[in-house]
Amino acid sequence: KGHANTATVLIGYAESQRKRGNHAKAKPLAERALAIQEKALPPRHPDLADTLETLAEIHTGLGDTKEANRYASQAKAIREKLSSSK
């Protein structure tokens, strides 16, 4: 649980940097949050999808469409699994 809280703080900071246009600063924060979440949370957790979506937005801001699409696709797959399991 403690690790998931660390990821929440990191992703919050990454989001604030992204919203300010500091995509290069946001990227390593969001990547670290994702790495923590992948270890601490189940693979279909909504927080994981949120972080993947943030990474997609960061990569869009960096002009890296390929990575943005990859992260967005992963987030979409989690969301689809979540909605189909309800």
Side-chain angles (χ1 to χ4, degrees), residues 22-86:
N22 296 330
H23 298 96
K25 285 185 180 178
K27 183 183 168 199
L29 296 165
E31 288 172 341
R32 181 75 184 120
L34 180 64
I36 292 168
Q37 288 175 331
E38 287 176 334
K39 291 177 183 170
L41 301 174
R44 293 183 184 172
H45 199 282
D47 287 356
L48 210 49
D50 291 343
T51 299
L52 289 164
E53 288 167 351
T54 297
L55 275 160
E57 292 167 0
I58 289 167
H59 281 276
T60 297
L62 290 169
D64 189 347
T65 307
K66 184 179 177 184
E67 280 298 287
N69 289 339
R70 185 174 70 85
Y71 284 119
S73 294
Q74 290 175 341
K76 183 180 178 191
I78 291 171
R79 299 254 186 244
E80 288 172 351
K81 288 175 185 171
L82 286 170
S83 65
S84 69
S85 66
K86 288 182 180 176

Short mmCIF file of all heavy atoms in Angstrom, two decimals, residues 22-86:
data_model
loop_
_atom_site.label_atom_id
_atom_site.label_comp_id
_atom_site.label_asym_id
_atom_site.label_seq_id
_atom_site.Cartn_x
_atom_site.Cartn_y
_atom_site.Cartn_z
N ASN A 22 5.70 21.19 -18.97
CA ASN A 22 7.02 20.62 -18.68
C ASN A 22 7.01 19.11 -18.91
O ASN A 22 7.19 18.32 -17.99
CB ASN A 22 7.43 20.93 -17.23
CG ASN A 22 7.60 22.41 -16.98
OD1 ASN A 22 7.96 23.16 -17.87
ND2 ASN A 22 7.34 22.83 -15.76
N HIS A 23 6.78 18.72 -20.16
CA HIS A 23 6.65 17.29 -20.48
C HIS A 23 7.91 16.50 -20.19
O HIS A 23 7.84 15.36 -19.73
CB HIS A 23 6.21 17.13 -21.93
CG HIS A 23 4.88 17.75 -22.21
ND1 HIS A 23 4.75 19.01 -22.72
CD2 HIS A 23 3.63 17.29 -22.00
CE1 HIS A 23 3.48 19.30 -22.83
NE2 HIS A 23 2.76 18.28 -22.40
N ALA A 24 9.07 17.11 -20.42
CA ALA A 24 10.33 16.41 -20.17
C ALA A 24 10.53 16.14 -18.68
O ALA A 24 11.10 15.12 -18.31
CB ALA A 24 11.50 17.21 -20.73
N LYS A 25 10.05 17.02 -17.82
CA LYS A 25 10.13 16.79 -16.38
C LYS A 25 9.07 15.79 -15.93
O LYS A 25 9.28 15.01 -15.01
CB LYS A 25 9.93 18.09 -15.60
CG LYS A 25 11.13 19.00 -15.62
CD LYS A 25 10.88 20.21 -14.73
CE LYS A 25 12.07 21.14 -14.73
NZ LYS A 25 11.84 22.34 -13.90
N ALA A 26 7.92 15.82 -16.58
CA ALA A 26 6.81 14.94 -16.21
C ALA A 26 7.08 13.47 -16.55
O ALA A 26 6.70 12.57 -15.81
CB ALA A 26 5.53 15.40 -16.89
N LYS A 27 7.77 13.25 -17.66
CA LYS A 27 7.97 11.88 -18.17
C LYS A 27 8.63 10.94 -17.16
O LYS A 27 8.06 9.87 -16.87
CB LYS A 27 8.75 11.93 -19.48
CG LYS A 27 8.95 10.58 -20.11
CD LYS A 27 9.79 10.68 -21.37
CE LYS A 27 10.22 9.30 -21.82
NZ LYS A 27 11.36 9.32 -22.71
N PRO A 28 9.79 11.26 -16.58
CA PRO A 28 10.39 10.29 -15.65
C PRO A 28 9.57 10.09 -14.38
O PRO A 28 9.56 9.00 -13.82
CB PRO A 28 11.76 10.90 -15.33
CG PRO A 28 11.68 12.33 -15.71
CD PRO A 28 10.65 12.42 -16.80
N LEU A 29 8.83 11.10 -13.96
CA LEU A 29 7.97 10.96 -12.78
C LEU A 29 6.85 9.97 -13.07
O LEU A 29 6.57 9.07 -12.27
CB LEU A 29 7.38 12.32 -12.39
CG LEU A 29 8.38 13.38 -11.94
CD1 LEU A 29 7.73 14.76 -11.93
CD2 LEU A 29 8.95 13.03 -10.58
N ALA A 30 6.22 10.13 -14.22
CA ALA A 30 5.12 9.24 -14.60
C ALA A 30 5.62 7.82 -14.86
O ALA A 30 4.96 6.84 -14.50
CB ALA A 30 4.39 9.78 -15.82
N GLU A 31 6.80 7.69 -15.46
CA GLU A 31 7.37 6.36 -15.71
C GLU A 31 7.67 5.65 -14.39
O GLU A 31 7.43 4.45 -14.27
CB GLU A 31 8.63 6.48 -16.56
CG GLU A 31 8.36 6.84 -18.00
CD GLU A 31 9.60 7.16 -18.80
OE1 GLU A 31 10.66 7.45 -18.20
OE2 GLU A 31 9.52 7.11 -20.05
N ARG A 32 8.18 6.39 -13.42
CA ARG A 32 8.46 5.80 -12.10
C ARG A 32 7.16 5.38 -11.42
O ARG A 32 7.09 4.31 -10.83
CB ARG A 32 9.24 6.81 -11.24
CG ARG A 32 9.60 6.30 -9.88
CD ARG A 32 10.77 5.29 -9.95
NE ARG A 32 11.00 4.75 -8.64
CZ ARG A 32 10.91 3.46 -8.33
NH1 ARG A 32 10.64 2.57 -9.25
NH2 ARG A 32 11.13 3.05 -7.11
N ALA A 33 6.15 6.23 -11.52
CA ALA A 33 4.85 5.89 -10.94
C ALA A 33 4.30 4.61 -11.56
O ALA A 33 3.81 3.72 -10.86
CB ALA A 33 3.86 7.04 -11.13
N LEU A 34 4.41 4.51 -12.88
CA LEU A 34 3.93 3.31 -13.57
C LEU A 34 4.68 2.07 -13.11
O LEU A 34 4.06 1.03 -12.85
CB LEU A 34 4.07 3.48 -15.09
CG LEU A 34 3.59 2.31 -15.93
CD1 LEU A 34 2.10 2.08 -15.77
CD2 LEU A 34 3.95 2.53 -17.40
N ALA A 35 5.99 2.16 -12.98
CA ALA A 35 6.79 1.02 -12.54
C ALA A 35 6.35 0.55 -11.15
O ALA A 35 6.23 -0.65 -10.89
CB ALA A 35 8.27 1.37 -12.54
N ILE A 36 6.10 1.50 -10.27
CA ILE A 36 5.63 1.16 -8.91
C ILE A 36 4.26 0.51 -8.98
O ILE A 36 4.02 -0.53 -8.36
CB ILE A 36 5.60 2.41 -8.02
CG1 ILE A 36 7.03 2.91 -7.75
CG2 ILE A 36 4.87 2.12 -6.71
CD1 ILE A 36 7.09 4.30 -7.12
N GLN A 37 3.36 1.11 -9.74
CA GLN A 37 2.00 0.59 -9.84
C GLN A 37 1.96 -0.81 -10.44
O GLN A 37 1.17 -1.65 -10.02
CB GLN A 37 1.11 1.52 -10.66
CG GLN A 37 0.78 2.80 -9.94
CD GLN A 37 0.01 3.76 -10.80
OE1 GLN A 37 0.15 3.77 -12.03
NE2 GLN A 37 -0.81 4.58 -10.18
N GLU A 38 2.81 -1.07 -11.42
CA GLU A 38 2.83 -2.39 -12.05
C GLU A 38 3.22 -3.48 -11.05
O GLU A 38 2.80 -4.62 -11.20
CB GLU A 38 3.76 -2.40 -13.26
CG GLU A 38 3.19 -1.64 -14.44
CD GLU A 38 4.14 -1.54 -15.62
OE1 GLU A 38 5.38 -1.60 -15.43
OE2 GLU A 38 3.64 -1.38 -16.74
N LYS A 39 4.00 -3.11 -10.04
CA LYS A 39 4.38 -4.07 -9.00
C LYS A 39 3.36 -4.13 -7.88
O LYS A 39 3.14 -5.19 -7.29
CB LYS A 39 5.75 -3.71 -8.42
CG LYS A 39 6.88 -3.91 -9.40
CD LYS A 39 8.21 -3.49 -8.82
CE LYS A 39 9.32 -3.61 -9.84
NZ LYS A 39 10.56 -2.99 -9.40
N ALA A 40 2.74 -3.01 -7.56
CA ALA A 40 1.89 -2.91 -6.37
C ALA A 40 0.40 -3.16 -6.62
O ALA A 40 -0.34 -3.49 -5.69
CB ALA A 40 2.05 -1.53 -5.73
N LEU A 41 -0.04 -3.01 -7.87
CA LEU A 41 -1.47 -3.10 -8.17
C LEU A 41 -1.77 -4.27 -9.09
O LEU A 41 -0.91 -4.70 -9.86
CB LEU A 41 -1.94 -1.81 -8.85
CG LEU A 41 -1.76 -0.51 -8.07
CD1 LEU A 41 -2.13 0.69 -8.94
CD2 LEU A 41 -2.59 -0.52 -6.79
N PRO A 42 -3.02 -4.77 -9.06
CA PRO A 42 -3.42 -5.80 -10.02
C PRO A 42 -3.41 -5.22 -11.44
O PRO A 42 -3.58 -4.01 -11.62
CB PRO A 42 -4.83 -6.20 -9.58
CG PRO A 42 -5.29 -5.14 -8.66
CD PRO A 42 -4.09 -4.43 -8.13
N PRO A 43 -3.23 -6.07 -12.46
CA PRO A 43 -3.07 -5.59 -13.83
C PRO A 43 -4.28 -4.85 -14.41
O PRO A 43 -4.13 -4.14 -15.40
CB PRO A 43 -2.76 -6.85 -14.63
CG PRO A 43 -3.04 -7.99 -13.76
CD PRO A 43 -3.07 -7.51 -12.35
N ARG A 44 -5.44 -5.00 -13.82
CA ARG A 44 -6.63 -4.31 -14.34
C ARG A 44 -7.07 -3.15 -13.45
O ARG A 44 -8.21 -2.74 -13.48
CB ARG A 44 -7.79 -5.30 -14.47
CG ARG A 44 -7.55 -6.34 -15.53
CD ARG A 44 -8.74 -7.24 -15.66
NE ARG A 44 -8.47 -8.32 -16.61
CZ ARG A 44 -9.26 -9.33 -16.81
NH1 ARG A 44 -10.37 -9.44 -16.13
NH2 ARG A 44 -8.95 -10.25 -17.69
N HIS A 45 -6.18 -2.62 -12.67
CA HIS A 45 -6.52 -1.54 -11.74
C HIS A 45 -6.73 -0.23 -12.49
O HIS A 45 -5.94 0.12 -13.37
CB HIS A 45 -5.41 -1.39 -10.70
CG HIS A 45 -5.85 -0.65 -9.49
ND1 HIS A 45 -5.97 0.72 -9.46
CD2 HIS A 45 -6.22 -1.09 -8.26
CE1 HIS A 45 -6.39 1.09 -8.27
NE2 HIS A 45 -6.55 0.01 -7.52
N PRO A 46 -7.81 0.52 -12.15
CA PRO A 46 -8.07 1.79 -12.85
C PRO A 46 -6.95 2.83 -12.69
O PRO A 46 -6.73 3.65 -13.59
CB PRO A 46 -9.38 2.30 -12.24
CG PRO A 46 -9.68 1.44 -11.08
CD PRO A 46 -8.85 0.19 -11.20
N ASP A 47 -6.22 2.80 -11.57
CA ASP A 47 -5.11 3.75 -11.40
C ASP A 47 -4.02 3.52 -12.44
O ASP A 47 -3.37 4.46 -12.90
CB ASP A 47 -4.50 3.65 -10.00
CG ASP A 47 -5.39 4.24 -8.92
OD1 ASP A 47 -6.46 4.82 -9.25
OD2 ASP A 47 -5.03 4.12 -7.74
N LEU A 48 -3.85 2.27 -12.82
CA LEU A 48 -2.87 1.92 -13.86
C LEU A 48 -3.29 2.55 -15.19
O LEU A 48 -2.47 3.13 -15.90
CB LEU A 48 -2.81 0.39 -13.97
CG LEU A 48 -1.54 -0.28 -14.39
CD1 LEU A 48 -0.33 0.22 -13.64
CD2 LEU A 48 -1.68 -1.78 -14.22
N ALA A 49 -4.57 2.44 -15.51
CA ALA A 49 -5.08 3.06 -16.74
C ALA A 49 -4.91 4.57 -16.70
O ALA A 49 -4.52 5.18 -17.71
CB ALA A 49 -6.55 2.69 -16.94
N ASP A 50 -5.17 5.19 -15.55
CA ASP A 50 -4.99 6.64 -15.42
C ASP A 50 -3.54 7.04 -15.70
O ASP A 50 -3.28 8.01 -16.41
CB ASP A 50 -5.37 7.11 -14.01
CG ASP A 50 -6.85 7.01 -13.71
OD1 ASP A 50 -7.66 6.87 -14.66
OD2 ASP A 50 -7.21 7.07 -12.52
N THR A 51 -2.61 6.30 -15.13
CA THR A 51 -1.19 6.61 -15.32
C THR A 51 -0.78 6.41 -16.78
O THR A 51 -0.03 7.23 -17.33
CB THR A 51 -0.32 5.77 -14.37
OG1 THR A 51 -0.69 6.10 -13.02
CG2 THR A 51 1.17 6.05 -14.56
N LEU A 52 -1.26 5.36 -17.39
CA LEU A 52 -0.97 5.13 -18.81
C LEU A 52 -1.52 6.27 -19.67
O LEU A 52 -0.86 6.71 -20.62
CB LEU A 52 -1.55 3.79 -19.25
CG LEU A 52 -0.84 2.55 -18.70
CD1 LEU A 52 -1.71 1.32 -18.86
CD2 LEU A 52 0.51 2.36 -19.37
N GLU A 53 -2.71 6.76 -19.33
CA GLU A 53 -3.29 7.88 -20.07
C GLU A 53 -2.45 9.15 -19.88
O GLU A 53 -2.24 9.92 -20.82
CB GLU A 53 -4.74 8.11 -19.66
CG GLU A 53 -5.65 7.02 -20.20
CD GLU A 53 -7.03 7.00 -19.57
OE1 GLU A 53 -7.27 7.71 -18.58
OE2 GLU A 53 -7.87 6.23 -20.07
N THR A 54 -1.96 9.35 -18.67
CA THR A 54 -1.08 10.50 -18.41
C THR A 54 0.18 10.38 -19.25
O THR A 54 0.63 11.37 -19.85
CB THR A 54 -0.75 10.61 -16.91
OG1 THR A 54 -1.95 10.86 -16.18
CG2 THR A 54 0.26 11.72 -16.64
N LEU A 55 0.76 9.20 -19.29
CA LEU A 55 1.96 8.99 -20.11
C LEU A 55 1.67 9.23 -21.59
O LEU A 55 2.50 9.79 -22.31
CB LEU A 55 2.53 7.59 -19.88
CG LEU A 55 3.46 7.49 -18.68
CD1 LEU A 55 3.61 6.06 -18.21
CD2 LEU A 55 4.82 8.09 -19.00
N ALA A 56 0.50 8.84 -22.05
CA ALA A 56 0.12 9.10 -23.45
C ALA A 56 0.07 10.61 -23.70
O ALA A 56 0.58 11.09 -24.72
CB ALA A 56 -1.24 8.46 -23.75
N GLU A 57 -0.50 11.35 -22.76
CA GLU A 57 -0.58 12.81 -22.91
C GLU A 57 0.82 13.45 -22.88
O GLU A 57 1.10 14.37 -23.65
CB GLU A 57 -1.46 13.40 -21.81
CG GLU A 57 -2.91 13.01 -21.96
CD GLU A 57 -3.75 13.32 -20.73
OE1 GLU A 57 -3.22 13.85 -19.73
OE2 GLU A 57 -4.97 13.04 -20.77
N ILE A 58 1.67 12.95 -22.00
CA ILE A 58 3.04 13.46 -21.92
C ILE A 58 3.78 13.22 -23.24
O ILE A 58 4.42 14.12 -23.78
CB ILE A 58 3.80 12.82 -20.74
CG1 ILE A 58 3.25 13.34 -19.41
CG2 ILE A 58 5.31 13.07 -20.85
CD1 ILE A 58 3.70 12.56 -18.18
N HIS A 59 3.67 12.01 -23.76
CA HIS A 59 4.36 11.70 -25.03
C HIS A 59 3.78 12.49 -26.20
O HIS A 59 4.53 12.88 -27.11
CB HIS A 59 4.36 10.19 -25.29
CG HIS A 59 5.40 9.47 -24.49
ND1 HIS A 59 6.70 9.37 -24.92
CD2 HIS A 59 5.35 8.86 -23.29
CE1 HIS A 59 7.40 8.71 -24.01
NE2 HIS A 59 6.60 8.40 -23.01
N THR A 60 2.48 12.76 -26.16
CA THR A 60 1.89 13.63 -27.17
C THR A 60 2.53 15.00 -27.10
O THR A 60 2.90 15.59 -28.12
CB THR A 60 0.36 13.72 -26.98
OG1 THR A 60 -0.21 12.41 -27.16
CG2 THR A 60 -0.27 14.69 -27.97
N GLY A 61 2.68 15.52 -25.88
CA GLY A 61 3.31 16.82 -25.68
C GLY A 61 4.76 16.86 -26.13
O GLY A 61 5.26 17.91 -26.53
N LEU A 62 5.41 15.71 -26.05
CA LEU A 62 6.81 15.61 -26.49
C LEU A 62 6.92 15.36 -28.00
O LEU A 62 8.02 15.32 -28.54
CB LEU A 62 7.52 14.47 -25.74
CG LEU A 62 7.77 14.69 -24.25
CD1 LEU A 62 8.22 13.41 -23.58
CD2 LEU A 62 8.81 15.79 -24.05
N GLY A 63 5.78 15.16 -28.65
CA GLY A 63 5.79 14.90 -30.09
C GLY A 63 6.08 13.46 -30.46
O GLY A 63 6.38 13.17 -31.61
N ASP A 64 5.99 12.57 -29.49
CA ASP A 64 6.28 11.14 -29.72
C ASP A 64 4.95 10.39 -29.86
O ASP A 64 4.45 9.77 -28.92
CB ASP A 64 7.10 10.58 -28.56
CG ASP A 64 7.61 9.17 -28.82
OD1 ASP A 64 7.15 8.53 -29.78
OD2 ASP A 64 8.47 8.72 -28.05
N THR A 65 4.39 10.48 -31.05
CA THR A 65 3.07 9.90 -31.32
C THR A 65 3.05 8.38 -31.15
O THR A 65 2.08 7.83 -30.63
CB THR A 65 2.61 10.26 -32.74
OG1 THR A 65 2.70 11.68 -32.89
CG2 THR A 65 1.18 9.83 -32.99
N LYS A 66 4.11 7.72 -31.55
CA LYS A 66 4.18 6.25 -31.45
C LYS A 66 4.04 5.80 -30.00
O LYS A 66 3.23 4.92 -29.68
CB LYS A 66 5.49 5.75 -32.06
CG LYS A 66 5.60 4.24 -32.08
CD LYS A 66 6.91 3.79 -32.72
CE LYS A 66 7.03 2.29 -32.68
NZ LYS A 66 8.32 1.82 -33.20
N GLU A 67 4.82 6.41 -29.11
CA GLU A 67 4.74 6.05 -27.68
C GLU A 67 3.40 6.47 -27.09
O GLU A 67 2.82 5.76 -26.28
CB GLU A 67 5.89 6.69 -26.89
CG GLU A 67 7.19 5.95 -27.00
CD GLU A 67 7.13 4.54 -26.45
OE1 GLU A 67 7.08 4.36 -25.23
OE2 GLU A 67 7.14 3.59 -27.25
N ALA A 68 2.91 7.63 -27.49
CA ALA A 68 1.60 8.11 -27.01
C ALA A 68 0.51 7.09 -27.36
O ALA A 68 -0.31 6.73 -26.50
CB ALA A 68 1.28 9.47 -27.60
N ASN A 69 0.53 6.61 -28.59
CA ASN A 69 -0.47 5.63 -29.02
C ASN A 69 -0.32 4.31 -28.27
O ASN A 69 -1.32 3.67 -27.94
CB ASN A 69 -0.39 5.40 -30.53
CG ASN A 69 -0.87 6.60 -31.32
OD1 ASN A 69 -1.61 7.44 -30.81
ND2 ASN A 69 -0.43 6.70 -32.56
N ARG A 70 0.91 3.92 -27.99
CA ARG A 70 1.15 2.66 -27.27
C ARG A 70 0.55 2.74 -25.86
O ARG A 70 -0.17 1.83 -25.43
CB ARG A 70 2.65 2.36 -27.22
CG ARG A 70 2.99 1.01 -26.60
CD ARG A 70 4.48 0.72 -26.71
NE ARG A 70 5.29 1.57 -25.86
CZ ARG A 70 5.54 1.28 -24.57
NH1 ARG A 70 5.03 0.21 -24.00
NH2 ARG A 70 6.32 2.09 -23.86
N TYR A 71 0.84 3.84 -25.16
CA TYR A 71 0.30 3.99 -23.81
C TYR A 71 -1.23 4.11 -23.83
O TYR A 71 -1.91 3.55 -22.98
CB TYR A 71 0.93 5.19 -23.10
CG TYR A 71 2.33 4.94 -22.63
CD1 TYR A 71 3.40 5.70 -23.11
CD2 TYR A 71 2.62 3.95 -21.69
CE1 TYR A 71 4.70 5.49 -22.67
CE2 TYR A 71 3.92 3.72 -21.25
CZ TYR A 71 4.95 4.49 -21.75
OH TYR A 71 6.23 4.26 -21.30
N ALA A 72 -1.75 4.86 -24.79
CA ALA A 72 -3.21 5.02 -24.89
C ALA A 72 -3.89 3.67 -25.15
O ALA A 72 -4.95 3.39 -24.58
CB ALA A 72 -3.55 6.02 -25.99
N SER A 73 -3.27 2.85 -25.98
CA SER A 73 -3.84 1.51 -26.28
C SER A 73 -3.84 0.63 -25.04
O SER A 73 -4.81 -0.10 -24.79
CB SER A 73 -3.05 0.83 -27.39
OG SER A 73 -3.19 1.52 -28.60
N GLN A 74 -2.77 0.69 -24.26
CA GLN A 74 -2.72 -0.10 -23.02
C GLN A 74 -3.80 0.36 -22.05
O GLN A 74 -4.47 -0.47 -21.41
CB GLN A 74 -1.34 0.03 -22.37
CG GLN A 74 -0.24 -0.68 -23.12
CD GLN A 74 1.13 -0.42 -22.50
OE1 GLN A 74 1.34 0.52 -21.75
NE2 GLN A 74 2.09 -1.27 -22.84
N ALA A 75 -3.98 1.66 -21.93
CA ALA A 75 -5.01 2.20 -21.03
C ALA A 75 -6.39 1.76 -21.49
O ALA A 75 -7.23 1.34 -20.68
CB ALA A 75 -4.93 3.72 -20.97
N LYS A 76 -6.62 1.84 -22.79
CA LYS A 76 -7.92 1.46 -23.35
C LYS A 76 -8.21 -0.01 -23.09
O LYS A 76 -9.34 -0.38 -22.73
CB LYS A 76 -7.94 1.75 -24.85
CG LYS A 76 -9.26 1.45 -25.51
CD LYS A 76 -9.22 1.76 -27.00
CE LYS A 76 -10.54 1.40 -27.62
NZ LYS A 76 -10.51 1.43 -29.09
N ALA A 77 -7.21 -0.86 -23.22
CA ALA A 77 -7.39 -2.30 -22.98
C ALA A 77 -7.79 -2.55 -21.53
O ALA A 77 -8.69 -3.37 -21.26
CB ALA A 77 -6.11 -3.06 -23.32
N ILE A 78 -7.17 -1.84 -20.59
CA ILE A 78 -7.53 -1.99 -19.18
C ILE A 78 -8.97 -1.53 -18.95
O ILE A 78 -9.76 -2.20 -18.29
CB ILE A 78 -6.56 -1.22 -18.26
CG1 ILE A 78 -5.18 -1.88 -18.30
CG2 ILE A 78 -7.09 -1.16 -16.83
CD1 ILE A 78 -4.09 -1.07 -17.60
N ARG A 79 -9.32 -0.38 -19.50
CA ARG A 79 -10.68 0.16 -19.34
C ARG A 79 -11.73 -0.79 -19.90
O ARG A 79 -12.78 -0.98 -19.31
CB ARG A 79 -10.79 1.53 -20.01
CG ARG A 79 -9.87 2.56 -19.44
CD ARG A 79 -10.59 3.57 -18.59
NE ARG A 79 -9.67 4.62 -18.17
CZ ARG A 79 -9.34 4.84 -16.93
NH1 ARG A 79 -9.85 4.12 -15.95
NH2 ARG A 79 -8.51 5.81 -16.61
N GLU A 80 -11.43 -1.39 -21.06
CA GLU A 80 -12.37 -2.34 -21.68
C GLU A 80 -12.54 -3.58 -20.80
O GLU A 80 -13.65 -4.07 -20.65
CB GLU A 80 -11.91 -2.72 -23.09
CG GLU A 80 -12.10 -1.59 -24.07
CD GLU A 80 -11.49 -1.85 -25.45
OE1 GLU A 80 -10.76 -2.86 -25.60
OE2 GLU A 80 -11.73 -1.02 -26.33
N LYS A 81 -11.43 -4.07 -20.22
CA LYS A 81 -11.52 -5.24 -19.35
C LYS A 81 -12.31 -4.90 -18.09
O LYS A 81 -13.10 -5.72 -17.61
CB LYS A 81 -10.13 -5.75 -18.98
CG LYS A 81 -9.43 -6.44 -20.13
CD LYS A 81 -8.01 -6.81 -19.78
CE LYS A 81 -7.28 -7.39 -20.97
NZ LYS A 81 -5.85 -7.57 -20.72
N LEU A 82 -12.11 -3.70 -17.57
CA LEU A 82 -12.85 -3.27 -16.37
C LEU A 82 -14.34 -3.18 -16.65
O LEU A 82 -15.15 -3.63 -15.87
CB LEU A 82 -12.32 -1.92 -15.86
CG LEU A 82 -10.98 -1.95 -15.17
CD1 LEU A 82 -10.48 -0.53 -14.95
CD2 LEU A 82 -11.08 -2.68 -13.83
N SER A 83 -14.70 -2.59 -17.79
CA SER A 83 -16.12 -2.41 -18.08
C SER A 83 -16.79 -3.73 -18.43
O SER A 83 -17.96 -3.94 -18.13
CB SER A 83 -16.32 -1.40 -19.21
OG SER A 83 -15.79 -1.87 -20.41
N SER A 84 -16.05 -4.66 -19.03
CA SER A 84 -16.64 -5.96 -19.37
C SER A 84 -16.75 -6.89 -18.16
O SER A 84 -17.51 -7.85 -18.19
CB SER A 84 -15.83 -6.65 -20.47
OG SER A 84 -14.56 -7.04 -19.98
N SER A 85 -16.03 -6.58 -17.08
CA SER A 85 -16.09 -7.45 -15.90
C SER A 85 -17.14 -6.99 -14.89
O SER A 85 -17.32 -7.59 -13.85
CB SER A 85 -14.71 -7.54 -15.23
OG SER A 85 -14.34 -6.28 -14.71
N LYS A 86 -17.85 -5.92 -15.22
CA LYS A 86 -18.89 -5.41 -14.29
C LYS A 86 -20.19 -6.15 -14.49
O LYS A 86 -20.49 -6.67 -15.49
CB LYS A 86 -19.10 -3.90 -14.50
CG LYS A 86 -17.93 -3.11 -13.98
CD LYS A 86 -18.19 -1.63 -14.14
CE LYS A 86 -17.00 -0.84 -13.62
NZ LYS A 86 -17.13 0.59 -13.82
#
